């Protein structure tokens, strides 16, 4: 089931049978390998080493099947939430936070990202390092780069980045494992995100997201900062709707493209944090100390346990979707982060 952080909403297209070349040759001889090898030469990498890696790579039909049916595209919020909002995942988050409190303190100070958001990302992605993926990243990226036409160019780019990582991050490109989409380590970074956002947070001179929880914590925080997380901005609030004006707003997607005032004019009103008739920890107010009517929001219509769940989501919700392009994923991270934050408060002496 595991997808990857930092990835796209995959096209639901199953690749067909293995092409004719695959029956008699190897990925090093695939027509598209010329493009990869050209990028390798331009990057100053060892072309013979890369050829050997491509020749050793194996097509995995299970990867093609998995990417055609991502949970974010096939499950309702009610079903999706049950996967990620279990109490044991919260307990694991609290234990991970206690073990790595110093790194989380630094991440909050230096990047201004709440620790519960960092913890929720790592918890959703790998259960704090317990499930980092069992596919060889080499097999995942070659299978998708050469045998998945809808996103082949994207994955070939990731493949070249993997070969660069072997040189720069001191990993073995032939043995490192990860998700079916080629994401690695505690936070499940794909290779180009590893290049762009990973940091050496433990100061040992090597960026290692596979074995260093500290590097993972700093890298997730850096990722969110670079994607313009706004400290202090609420992420989302439950909402009431009146009429059907919300429909077109919800169809516009999870990127904020309306204001709170526009949502209100269309019958969508955020739950107030002072509302005694319907309370929720997911709320925000329009006041001098709350959000202005010009605040950009998106309208979400999710299918929860009791039917429609309406939400107003801010730019910070959208930032979470940059990690995984799914409103269900972002909502899971948000709600897990709240549960972890509550549990951390309860655990304080």
């Amino acid at each position: 089931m595991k997808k990857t952080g930092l990835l796209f909403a995959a096209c639901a297209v199953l690749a067909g049978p293995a092409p004719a070349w695959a029956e008699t040759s190897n990925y090093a001889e695939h027509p598209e390998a010329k493009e990869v090898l050209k990028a390798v030469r331009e990057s100053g990498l060892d072309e013979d080493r890369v050829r050997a890696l491509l020749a050793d790579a194996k097509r995995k039909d299970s990867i093609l099947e998995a990417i055609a049916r991502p949970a974010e595209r096939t499950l309702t919020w009610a079903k999706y939430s049950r996967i990620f909002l279990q109490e044991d995942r919260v307990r694991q988050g609290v234990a991970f936070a206690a073990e790595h409190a110093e790194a989380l303190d630094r991440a909050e100070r230096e990047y201004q990202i709440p620790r519960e958001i960092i913890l929720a990302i790592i918890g959703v992605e790998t259960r704090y390092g317990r499930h980092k993926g069992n596919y060889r990243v080499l097999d995942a990226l070659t299978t998708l780069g050469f045998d998945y036409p809808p996103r082949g160019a994207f994955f070939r780019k990731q493949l070249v980045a993997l070969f660069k990582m072997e040189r720069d991050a001191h990993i073995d490109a032939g043995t490192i494992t990860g998700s079916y989409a080629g994401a690695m380590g505690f936070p499940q970074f794909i290779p180009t995100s590893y290049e762009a956002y990973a940091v050496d947070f433990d100061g040992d001179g090597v960026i290692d997201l596979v074995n260093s929880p500290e590097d993972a914590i700093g890298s997730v925080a850096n990722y969110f900062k670079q994607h313009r997380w706004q400290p202090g901005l609420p992420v989302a609030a439950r909402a009431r709707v009146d009429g059907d004006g919300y429909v077109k707003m919800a169809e516009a997607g999870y990127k904020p493209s309306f204001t709170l005032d526009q949502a209100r004019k269309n019958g969508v009103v955020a739950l107030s944090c002072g509302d005694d008739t319907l309370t929720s920890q997911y709320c925000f107010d329009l006041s001098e100390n709350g959000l202005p009517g010009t605040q950009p929001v998106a309208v979400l219509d999710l299918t929860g346990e009791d039917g429609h769940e309406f939400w107003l989501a801010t730019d910070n919700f959208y930032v979470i979707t940059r990690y995984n392009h799914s409103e269900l994923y972002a909502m899971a991270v948000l709600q897990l982060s709240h549960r972890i934050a509550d549990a951390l408060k309860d655990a304080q002496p």
Side-chain angles (χ1 to χ4, degrees), residues 64-142:
L64 298 172
E65 292 165 4
I67 203 166
R69 299 184 179 89
E72 289 82 359
R73 285 293 186 92
T74 60
L75 299 181
T76 63
W77 167 239
K79 293 180 179 178
Y80 189 89
S81 63
R82 292 176 206 149
I83 299 171
F84 298 106
L85 301 182
Q86 315 98 327
E87 283 305 310
D88 64 332
R89 203 181 297 253
V90 175
R91 289 193 296 270
Q92 291 164 2
V94 171
F96 187 85
E99 185 175 358
H100 304 291
E102 183 178 347
L104 289 163
D105 288 342
R106 280 185 56 214
E108 285 190 323
R109 287 196 311 271
E110 296 179 17
Y111 296 104
Q112 298 296 297
I113 308 300
R115 70 182 57 212
E116 60 267 23
I117 290 290
I118 300 170
L119 290 165
I121 288 287
I122 298 174
V124 166
E125 290 295 338
T126 61
R127 280 186 176 269
Y128 308 98
R130 290 171 174 80
H131 304 290
K132 298 174 186 172
N134 296 317
Y135 286 103
R136 261 201 327 173
V137 174
L138 176 66
D139 294 337
L141 296 180
T142 50

Side-chain angles (χ1 to χ4, degrees), residues 3-4 7-8 27 53-54 56-64 66-67 133-148 151-152 154-156 158-159 162 173-174 176-184 188 190-191:
K3 191 170 177 285
T4 173
L7 209 51
F8 47 88
Y27 280 122
L53 287 168
L54 291 175
D56 185 55
K58 304 294 187 295
R59 171 187 163 116
K60 298 293 183 180
D61 288 337
S62 58
I63 289 173
L64 298 172
I67 203 166
N134 296 317
Y135 286 103
R136 261 201 327 173
V137 174
L138 176 66
D139 294 337
L141 296 180
T142 50
T143 296
L144 295 171
F146 297 123
D147 286 337
Y148 186 63
R151 297 292 295 182
F154 173 86
F155 283 107
R156 290 193 296 274
Q158 300 306 316
L159 190 59
L162 173 68
I176 189 171
T177 58
S179 77
Y180 68 74
M184 297 163 282
Q188 294 289 274
I190 54 175

Side-chain angles (χ1 to χ4, degrees), residues 68 105 107 134 151 172 249 271 312 327-328 347:
D105 288 342
N134 296 317
R151 297 292 295 182
D172 185 339
M249 300 182 79
L271 294 190
L312 285 168
E327 62 187 20
L328 299 186

